[in-house]
Amino acid sequence: VADYYLVSHAHAHGHVVVTHEVHSAGKKVKIPTVCIGLGVKCVTPFEMLRSERARFVLGGSRGR
């Protein structure tokens, strides 16, 4: 139920949906399939992190 709310909210407000699901023609309707039908942009978490230029920095020494 939450999946459809998520996609409809993104559609109404011009947001991008981020999900690990992939488009498939199986019996269960996946989020990317709905996004394609509604014209909502849908990306994987890795694509989102790449586009946002996320950096993960390990602790290391502080001030030493």
Side-chain angles (χ1 to χ4, degrees):
V1 175
D3 292 352
Y4 299 110
Y5 175 77
L6 177 75
V7 176
S8 64
H9 186 81
H11 183 263
H13 299 282
H15 297 302
V16 177
V17 176
V18 180
T19 181
H20 277 294
E21 289 185 358
V22 293
H23 170 69
S24 69
K27 289 184 178 184
K28 184 173 188 257
V29 179
K30 303 282 187 167
I31 292 174
T33 307
V34 176
C35 287
I36 290 168
L38 292 176
V40 175
K41 185 172 180 176
C42 183
V43 298
T44 67
F46 304 109
E47 291 171 328
M48 184 268 305
L49 290 170
R50 220 175 285 117
S51 70
E52 294 295 321
R53 296 182 167 208
R55 290 182 31 158
F56 300 96
V57 181
L58 295 177
S61 60
R62 288 186 171 172
R64 294 182 191 170

